[in-house]
Amino acid sequence: MNLILLRPEEIRDQEASFNDHRAEHLRAVLKSRPGDTIRVGIINGLIGAALILQLDQTGARLRLASCRTAPPPPTAVDLILALPRPLILKRVLAQAAALGVKRIMLINANRVEKSFFRSSQLGPEQIETHLRQGLEQAVDTRLPQVSIHPRFRPFVEDELPRLLPDYQGGLVAHPEAPQTIGEINPAPGRRLLAVGPEGGWVDFEIERFQTQGFIPFSLGPRILRVDTAVPVLLAQLELLAGLTPPSG
Amino acid sequence: MNLILLRPEEIRDQEASFNDHRAEHLRAVLKSRPGDTIRVGIINGLIGAALILQLDQTGARLRLASCRTAPPPPTAVDLILALPRPLILKRVLAQAAALGVKRIMLINANRVEKSFFRSSQLGPEQIETHLRQGLEQAVDTRLPQVSIHPRFRPFVEDELPRLLPDYQGGLVAHPEAPQTIGEINPAPGRRLLAVGPEGGWVDFEIERFQTQGFIPFSLGPRILRVDTAVPVLLAQLELLAGLTPPSG
């Protein structure tokens, strides 16, 4: 945890009190004491410093000193993710948040196990916990939006067309695609990236994405688990966006 | 698990028997039966098919049909990693193996907790288990070499100079470096990549790496945990190696 995240409603008269994992982190990991200054961020707001007024077994009380630093810019990629199994979902949400993704759509697919949609990890509080973990690691404050879409076809055929005008187009990971992302070398711009379930998308799903203008690409000869594939792909798109001169 | 890995010494007269996580995977996840053909790989050897002769609570017995496919090419990057805490180490070993790294040096650094070197995860069997997990995921057979270096200075000053002739030079991740990896855009070639502990390398360590010709680079404004940073950096170096025309 590289910053303590505060909700705006926790702050009153420039002070905030809490007694949860954040207080525990201050006590046990940072071994902070009253009088120390620590880095704090306000959810969806600015980053700055706070003075520890009190820190003991009853919790922590901070006084905000100055919060004037903007969070780092978001990545230009939003994620469509076939819902992974709960343990992997936790990791991917934290990683995506750490890497600056600001919108994550969890969707159904033929090879997603139906039981995954009943996981307790999909509760709004659980999702926020994993996202905050990523933000606290990466020193960011902007909480990604996560939405859940339990039916593939209505998502791709009805919802996706309404989203697409916000993007320079989409990319869909597919082991059988002829080109890698480096070979496609997409022009910079805001992108949607669709990553499939273990075992991949079925042909019908790839066709639906292609109908919406998504370009299939391969990750190369290696089969990566989604919690490795997501950071790999976000990193490569981020790098390409910085390397390629803007087109048009 | 996308292939069943066999040790050469497990194979006799083209047959192999086992009753461990592999048999469990065939039974519980793949729901295989005798008569099915599955994908197998021989450690440090070829990939091919095997026929299940027997599969029950006493284990699995396979007959190798043909093993003629070469494993995917390794990545051109070897890793120097400040020893992370045990839970993260497991993940990073599996991820690095899945991404095709073939040499991993686990070293000490000022901000590595001394207790990490006493972790049971550093036993050769534990290390091999995590590496195999990555290979089984990525459909690779070549087991990475892992070495442990509990003293920073002898490693960097004595061992590193002997290794460096095998490489086009090294890169060292350092939050305060002025350039990102995309801005450096290193020429393709075999590289050593050094990734520090939580909290980063101390100045003395960066200086030692620089004395050995390592180029410091920053990951950008976000602080990434090592199990996110490693796939991010390997992916970016792999992409740059494929994009840049060879120099010299």
Side-chain angles (χ1 to χ4, degrees):
Chain A
M1 201 188 291
N2 294 304
L3 96 164
I4 298 286
L5 269 181
L6 303 169
R7 314 185 129 280
E9 61 268 28
E10 286 179 313
I11 304 165
R12 269 199 182 181
D13 300 332
Q14 295 299 96
E15 287 191 17
S17 299
F18 45 81
N19 189 18
D20 54 11
H21 72 286
R22 296 170 296 181
E24 180 57 24
H25 184 80
L26 290 174
R27 283 189 301 252
V29 181
L30 298 184
K31 306 198 190 301
S32 305
R33 291 163 175 234
D36 289 354
T37 296
I38 54 162
R39 181 156 53 184
V40 296
I42 300 165
I43 288 187
N44 295 322
L46 298 173
I47 294 166
L51 179 74
I52 301 179
L53 298 175
Q54 189 195 324
L55 180 64
D56 54 34
Q57 292 309 313
T58 68
R61 193 157 59 88
L62 311 181
R63 186 190 302 135
L64 268 64
S66 62
C67 277
R68 299 206 191 99
T69 308
T75 180
V77 180
D78 285 342
L79 265 183
I80 297 171
L81 211 60
L83 185 63
R85 60 194 150 95
L87 181 74
I88 304 290
L89 175 66
K90 285 167 63 169
R91 278 191 217 154
V92 175
L93 288 176
Q95 284 173 322
L99 290 165
V101 175
K102 295 304 168 197
R103 183 162 192 176
I104 303 168
M105 289 156 264
L106 301 171
I107 74 167
N108 198 5
N110 189 277
R111 294 196 180 119
V112 169
E113 276 190 39
K114 295 298 157 274
S115 65
F116 295 171
F117 278 95
R118 295 190 299 270
S119 161
S120 63
Q121 298 303 330
L122 285 184
E125 279 180 33
Q126 282 75 11
I127 286 181
E128 191 177 312
T129 300
H130 307 315
L131 297 173
R132 282 177 69 147
Q133 215 173 71
L135 298 180
E136 288 162 350
Q137 167 65 40
V139 191
D140 191 357
T141 65
R142 279 185 273 225
L143 209 55
Q145 280 189 290
V146 176
S147 53
I148 301 168
H149 308 266
R151 292 173 64 208
F152 177 83
R153 205 161 167 164
F155 172 76
V156 175
E157 294 185 352
D158 305 333
E159 299 185 54
L160 206 44
R162 287 199 291 270
L163 297 173
L164 278 167
D166 292 344
Y167 297 91
Q168 193 93 346
L171 294 159
V172 54
H174 185 46
E176 287 153 47
Q179 291 181 300
T180 64
I181 223 163
E183 286 160 351
I184 294 172
N185 202 343
R190 220 174 144 215
R191 295 264 166 201
L192 272 168
L193 170 66
V195 177
E198 281 181 61
W201 305 105
V202 298
D203 289 345
F204 167 80
E205 290 160 351
I206 288 290
E207 284 161 27
R208 290 299 94 187
F209 278 116
Q210 283 184 292
T211 304
Q212 302 292 344
F214 278 59
I215 304 168
F217 68 93
S218 135
L219 276 92
R222 297 172 179 277
I223 304 179
L224 301 180
R225 216 166 63 178
V226 65
D227 55 334
T228 305
V230 164
V232 158
L233 293 172
L234 291 173
Q236 291 187 331
L237 285 169
E238 183 87 0
L239 184 70
L240 287 171
L243 281 179
T244 324
S247 74
Chain B
M1 202 188 291
N2 293 304
L3 97 164
I4 297 285
L5 269 182
L6 303 170
R7 314 185 130 276
E9 60 269 27
E10 285 180 310
I11 303 165
R12 270 200 181 181
D13 300 333
Q14 295 298 98
E15 287 190 18
S17 300
F18 45 81
N19 189 19
D20 54 12
H21 73 285
R22 297 170 295 179
E24 181 57 23
H25 184 80
L26 290 175
R27 283 190 301 252
V29 181
L30 298 184
K31 305 196 192 303
S32 305
R33 291 161 176 236
D36 289 354
T37 296
I38 54 162
R39 181 155 55 185
V40 295
I42 299 165
I43 288 187
N44 295 322
L46 299 173
I47 294 166
L51 179 73
I52 301 179
L53 299 176
Q54 190 194 323
L55 181 64
D56 53 33
Q57 292 309 316
T58 67
R61 193 158 58 86
L62 310 180
R63 186 191 300 135
L64 268 66
S66 62
C67 278
R68 298 207 192 96
T69 307
T75 181
V77 180
D78 286 342
L79 267 182
I80 296 171
L81 211 60
L83 185 63
R85 60 195 150 97
L87 181 74
I88 304 289
L89 175 67
K90 285 167 63 168
R91 278 191 215 155
V92 174
L93 289 176
Q95 283 173 324
L99 290 166
V101 175
K102 296 304 170 197
R103 184 163 192 174
I104 303 166
M105 288 154 265
L106 301 171
I107 75 167
N108 198 6
N110 189 276
R111 295 195 180 121
V112 169
E113 275 190 38
K114 296 299 156 273
S115 65
F116 296 171
F117 278 95
R118 297 190 298 269
S119 160
S120 63
Q121 298 303 329
L122 286 184
E125 280 180 32
Q126 282 74 11
I127 286 181
E128 191 178 311
T129 299
H130 307 315
L131 297 173
R132 283 178 69 146
Q133 214 173 71
L135 298 179
E136 288 162 350
Q137 167 66 39
V139 191
D140 191 357
T141 65
R142 280 185 272 225
L143 209 55
Q145 281 189 290
V146 176
S147 54
I148 300 168
H149 308 266
R151 292 174 64 209
F152 177 83
R153 206 161 166 164
F155 172 76
V156 175
E157 292 185 353
D158 305 333
E159 299 184 55
L160 206 45
R162 287 199 292 271
L163 298 173
L164 278 168
D166 293 345
Y167 297 90
Q168 194 93 345
L171 293 160
V172 56
H174 185 46
E176 286 154 47
Q179 291 182 298
T180 64
I181 222 164
E183 285 160 352
I184 294 172
N185 202 343
R190 220 173 143 216
R191 294 264 165 203
L192 272 169
L193 170 66
V195 177
E198 281 181 61
W201 306 105
V202 298
D203 288 346
F204 167 80
E205 291 161 348
I206 288 290
E207 284 161 26
R208 291 298 96 190
F209 278 116
Q210 283 184 293
T211 304
Q212 302 295 342
F214 277 60
I215 304 167
F217 68 94
S218 133
L219 277 92
R222 297 171 177 278
I223 304 179
L224 301 180
R225 216 166 61 180
V226 66
D227 56 334
T228 305
V230 165
V232 158
L233 294 171
L234 291 172
Q236 291 187 332
L237 285 170
E238 183 86 2
L239 184 70
L240 286 172
L243 282 179
T244 323
S247 75

